Amino acid sequence: MKKFLCITTLALAAVAVFSCKEQNPDQTVAEAKFSDMAYLTDGLIVEDAAGNISGYVYGAALNEANPYEIFVPVNSYDEAVHIFLKLLPKGAQLTTNGKTLSWPMTDRKANPEGEAVLSPSTAPGEAGTLTIGSSRLSVHFVSVWPENADDIRDYMNAVYPVGTVVSKPDVGGFGEGDYVVVRQWTPQECGIMIQPLGTDYTCESIGDKNSLPSNNFVHQVFLALEAWPGYSEVLGSLDYRYLTRLSREASDGTEWCAVNLKHDGEYWLLSSSATPVRRVLFYCFAPEGDQLKCWSATAVVKFDLDKPVTSVHVPDYGDGENGSWTK
């Protein structure tokens, strides 16, 4: 018990310190408000414009009858706590009751949205469960996993390690070019590949905001980059404001949230603002049977796992193997 409390206390202290970073002078002073439930679910799933699940950021749906039931493999309940904390926004205020963690959620107007509750489980093979208010999503942190998980993980580690450059054609208007793997796939979390665009936009000129990543997802990308010290040798500087699809209504108009991928700073910008922002395109990826499934908010593509093609036009990113794919 003391060990768990110590881990939780340290993690919460880190969240508190992280949330107290000095604000950039350009940042809106007003308190940011969004739907907490939407923020949390955005960190677990990627949905298309129609609200259908394109894929899972953590774990997988092992129950075909219920795609909203997510299973995430862990070795201990402490590991489930670590994942839960990564999914929360900066400054989230948690309450503890023994080993149970609760986060009271509110909507854009600060009205209660229920609680996100992580609690240990006594069910066989299950370390804990996460319920998210009235959301249909539920998360089971389990110690059991399909038997072939180790074999597919070894394959994915060999073919798509961090730093791999993946070349893709145009798919559904989402764009083509070189994507860089910034997070490896594991049974616990999806792989992530990104393409930061080098063009400056404004909030109004950036185009379809439905194709932008969620605020929570950009935070997951930042955590992946933070764990990869050599990313700048491949991707260059990411010290820019990357626009997300998160918005809020302010007294003087609609504001959009942008995130800096170098230091995870958040900026709220009026729709009419001339402040330059950039786009980061992304794909999640995970093996699905004998194929690799790649998905974003606007497109889902698959290709055969056993047919990786060596790319001849990728940038130099240091050690590793170059990989490319076609639709």
Side-chain angles (χ1 to χ4, degrees), residues 50 54 63 69 90 106 117 137 158-159 168 184 209 252 271 281 286 291 296:
S54 299
N63 178 6
E69 190 174 29
K90 301 174 186 178
T106 56
V117 180
L137 279 182
V159 179
K168 62 171 287 295
Q184 267 178 249
K209 294 185 177 65
D252 45 358
S271 216
L281 306 182
Q291 293 187 310
S296 68

Side-chain angles (χ1 to χ4, degrees), residues 211-251:
S211 64
L212 296 172
S214 70
N215 190 41
N216 196 327
F217 188 82
V218 177
H219 178 63
Q220 301 300 315
V221 171
F222 168 78
L223 293 176
L225 293 169
E226 193 176 37
W228 177 26
Y231 77 82
S232 61
E233 297 177 10
V234 185
L235 294 163
S237 174
L238 296 179
D239 193 10
Y240 303 97
R241 297 175 178 85
Y242 292 93
L243 201 64
T244 74
R245 64 169 181 260
L246 178 63
S247 66
R248 67 180 184 187
E249 293 305 316
S251 59

Side-chain angles (χ1 to χ4, degrees), residues 29-247:
V29 178
E31 180 184 0
K33 189 69 198 89
F34 43 80
S35 164
D36 290 336
M37 186 184 298
Y39 182 91
L40 182 51
T41 57
D42 279 343
L44 290 164
I45 60 174
V46 174
E47 295 179 294
D48 61 22
N52 301 311
I53 296 177
S54 299
Y56 302 88
V57 182
Y58 284 90
L62 302 182
N63 178 6
E64 292 184 2
N66 184 6
Y68 296 94
E69 190 174 29
I70 304 172
F71 295 84
V72 182
V74 294
N75 295 312
S76 66
Y77 182 69
D78 290 344
E79 198 171 339
V81 171
H82 177 69
I83 293 173
F84 179 50
L85 294 176
K86 287 201 300 183
L87 289 167
L88 300 182
K90 301 174 186 178
Q93 300 297 309
L94 294 174
T95 60
T96 60
N97 182 8
K99 289 190 174 184
T100 297
L101 303 181
S102 301
W103 177 43
M105 299 179 295
T106 56
D107 63 16
R108 289 172 178 264
K109 297 182 179 180
N111 297 317
E113 285 189 304
E115 290 187 310
V117 180
L118 175 68
S119 56
S121 173
T122 58
E126 188 170 72
T129 59
L130 172 62
T131 58
I132 307 171
S134 59
S135 170
R136 287 185 289 175
L137 279 182
S138 62
V139 184
H140 302 263
F141 295 97
V142 295
S143 58
V144 293
W145 207 246
E147 293 182 1
N148 64 349
D150 288 339
D151 292 339
I152 191 63
R153 180 169 182 166
D154 289 343
Y155 175 87
M156 295 293 289
N157 287 352
V159 179
Y160 297 102
V162 169
T164 299
V165 177
V166 180
S167 297
K168 62 171 287 295
D170 182 50
V171 178
F174 187 62
E176 60 184 342
D178 294 333
Y179 283 68
V180 177
V181 175
V182 298
R183 188 170 86 181
Q184 267 178 249
W185 174 85
T186 69
Q188 188 175 91
E189 56 191 16
C190 75
I192 299 175
M193 59 179 78
I194 66 170
Q195 182 191 110
L197 300 185
T199 304
D200 283 337
Y201 301 88
T202 65
C203 292
E204 291 184 343
S205 69
I206 203 166
D208 179 18
K209 294 185 177 65
N210 287 327
S211 64
L212 296 172
S214 70
N215 190 41
N216 196 327
F217 188 82
V218 177
H219 178 63
Q220 301 300 315
V221 171
F222 168 78
L223 293 176
L225 293 169
E226 193 176 37
W228 177 26
Y231 77 82
S232 61
E233 297 177 10
V234 185
L235 294 163
S237 174
L238 296 179
D239 193 10
Y240 303 97
R241 297 175 178 85
Y242 292 93
L243 201 64
T244 74
R245 64 169 181 260
L246 178 63
S247 66

